[in-house]
Amino acid sequence: MIVVEEDWLTLNDVAEYAGMGVYAYLSWCTRLLALQAHPGKESESGRGPSPPDTELWL
């Protein structure tokens, strides 16, 4: 997938705000989408997964 510079900069800003790198942020978002695609697979809190420890997700 090709991402234009403007979109990349936006992703980078959002990821930094979340305390993650872009790839970690996209991975976390993908997990959230996967949970929504499978009702009943929520975490114990019922809110989906918590944001990751950034070092582990890079």
Side-chain angles (χ1 to χ4, degrees), residues 3-19:
V3 179
V4 295
E5 184 176 356
E6 182 179 332
D7 291 340
W8 180 262
L9 294 173
T10 301
L11 279 170
N12 189 53
D13 289 345
V14 172
E16 283 184 11
Y17 185 77

Side-chain angles (χ1 to χ4, degrees), residues 17-45:
Y17 185 77
M20 298 179 234
V22 172
Y23 295 110
Y25 181 76
L26 292 175
S27 178
W28 178 61
C29 290
T30 301
R31 288 176 180 239
L32 288 177
L33 288 172
L35 282 173
Q36 291 175 5
H38 301 287
K41 298 285 186 179
E42 296 180 7
S43 68
E44 292 179 18
S45 67

